[in-house]
Amino acid sequence: MDLGWYIGLHHPEHPRYVIDPVQRGNQAMPASFRGLPTGGLCLAFLVEEAAQRDEPWGQRRFNVLGPEGVLIEVVQPIAPDPEWPGRQTAGTPA
Protein backbone atom coordinates (compact mmCIF):
# COMPACT_ATOMS: atom_id res chain seq x y z
CA MET A 1 0.00 0.00 0.00
CA ASP A 2 1.32 3.47 -0.88
CA LEU A 3 -0.58 6.50 0.44
CA GLY A 4 2.20 9.02 -0.16
CA TRP A 5 2.77 9.58 3.58
CA TYR A 6 2.77 5.81 4.36
CA ILE A 7 4.09 2.77 2.52
CA GLY A 8 3.35 -0.79 3.69
CA LEU A 9 6.08 -3.26 2.73
CA HIS A 10 5.34 -6.94 3.44
CA HIS A 11 7.74 -9.81 2.79
CA PRO A 12 6.01 -12.23 0.35
CA GLU A 13 7.39 -15.35 2.05
CA HIS A 14 7.06 -14.06 5.62
CA PRO A 15 3.81 -12.03 5.83
CA ARG A 16 4.36 -11.22 9.52
CA TYR A 17 7.60 -9.36 8.69
CA VAL A 18 6.58 -5.81 7.82
CA ILE A 19 8.33 -2.48 7.34
CA ASP A 20 6.05 0.56 7.20
CA PRO A 21 7.83 3.84 6.46
CA VAL A 22 5.76 6.85 7.59
CA GLN A 23 6.48 10.46 6.65
CA ARG A 24 8.35 12.22 9.48
CA GLY A 25 6.01 14.33 11.62
CA ASN A 26 2.89 12.78 10.08
CA GLN A 27 -0.42 13.10 11.95
CA ALA A 28 -0.71 9.29 12.13
CA MET A 29 2.08 9.32 14.71
CA PRO A 30 1.31 10.40 18.30
CA ALA A 31 1.70 14.17 18.73
CA SER A 32 4.20 13.72 21.57
CA PHE A 33 6.43 11.67 19.26
CA ARG A 34 6.56 14.02 16.26
CA GLY A 35 9.81 15.95 15.99
CA LEU A 36 11.86 13.80 18.39
CA PRO A 37 15.56 13.44 17.56
CA THR A 38 15.10 9.72 16.78
CA GLY A 39 13.79 10.79 13.38
CA GLY A 40 10.63 8.73 13.70
CA LEU A 41 11.79 5.23 14.62
CA CYS A 42 8.81 3.16 15.74
CA LEU A 43 8.84 -0.49 16.75
CA ALA A 44 5.38 -2.03 16.33
CA PHE A 45 4.25 -5.36 17.77
CA LEU A 46 1.12 -7.09 16.47
CA VAL A 47 -0.96 -8.64 19.25
CA GLU A 48 -4.30 -10.41 19.69
CA GLU A 49 -5.94 -7.73 21.88
CA ALA A 50 -4.60 -4.15 22.07
CA ALA A 51 -7.54 -2.38 23.70
CA GLN A 52 -6.67 1.31 23.52
CA ARG A 53 -7.36 3.44 20.41
CA ASP A 54 -9.07 2.39 17.15
CA GLU A 55 -7.69 3.96 13.97
CA PRO A 56 -9.75 4.29 10.77
CA TRP A 57 -7.02 2.58 8.70
CA GLY A 58 -7.57 -0.74 10.53
CA GLN A 59 -5.54 -0.73 13.72
CA ARG A 60 -6.31 -0.86 17.42
CA ARG A 61 -3.14 0.36 19.09
CA PHE A 62 -1.35 1.97 21.98
CA ASN A 63 2.07 3.59 22.17
CA VAL A 64 4.86 3.72 24.72
CA LEU A 65 7.89 6.00 24.42
CA GLY A 66 10.92 3.82 25.12
CA PRO A 67 14.49 4.61 26.07
CA GLU A 68 16.38 6.95 23.74
CA GLY A 69 13.08 8.26 22.32
CA VAL A 70 12.10 5.14 20.34
CA LEU A 71 8.34 4.80 19.96
CA ILE A 72 7.05 1.31 20.75
CA GLU A 73 3.66 0.57 19.24
CA VAL A 74 1.46 -2.39 20.16
CA VAL A 75 -1.03 -3.09 17.36
CA GLN A 76 -4.03 -5.33 16.81
CA PRO A 77 -5.27 -5.42 13.20
CA ILE A 78 -9.01 -4.64 12.95
CA ALA A 79 -11.38 -3.98 10.05
CA PRO A 80 -10.69 -0.54 8.55
CA ASP A 81 -13.36 2.10 8.05
CA PRO A 82 -14.50 1.33 4.46
CA GLU A 83 -14.74 5.06 3.67
CA TRP A 84 -11.27 5.92 5.03
CA PRO A 85 -9.22 5.34 1.82
CA GLY A 86 -11.43 7.77 -0.11
CA ARG A 87 -10.77 10.55 2.41
CA GLN A 88 -6.98 10.42 1.94
CA THR A 89 -4.95 13.25 0.51
CA ALA A 90 -1.21 13.18 -0.12
CA GLY A 91 0.68 13.60 3.12
CA THR A 92 -2.27 13.56 5.51
CA PRO A 93 -4.35 10.77 7.08
CA ALA A 94 -7.97 11.84 7.44
Side-chain angles (χ1 to χ4, degrees), residues 25-86:
N26 189 274
Q27 295 175 5
M29 302 304 282
S32 60
F33 181 69
R34 294 180 216 145
L36 288 177
T38 58
L41 177 61
C42 172
L43 301 176
F45 299 91
L46 297 179
V47 298
E48 295 290 325
E49 294 183 35
Q52 185 70 335
R53 183 174 73 217
D54 289 357
E55 302 291 6
W57 52 81
Q59 290 181 339
R60 177 169 292 140
R61 68 182 185 162
F62 67 87
N63 303 110
V64 177
L65 191 57
E68 305 298 326
V70 174
L71 180 67
I72 299 169
E73 181 172 72
V74 179
V75 180
Q76 174 189 355
I78 60 173
D81 175 348
E83 297 178 9
W84 181 78

Side-chain angles (χ1 to χ4, degrees), residues 2-6 23 26-27 84-94:
D2 183 351
L3 299 174
W5 58 271
Y6 163 88
Q23 181 181 32
N26 189 274
Q27 295 175 5
W84 181 78
R87 296 192 307 259
Q88 297 307 293
T89 59
T92 306

Side-chain angles (χ1 to χ4, degrees), residues 7-27:
I7 300 171
L9 304 172
H10 299 250
H11 192 286
E13 295 177 19
H14 305 282
R16 296 185 65 100
Y17 296 178
V18 180
I19 297 175
D20 295 335
V22 177
Q23 181 181 32
R24 185 183 298 217
N26 189 274
Q27 295 175 5

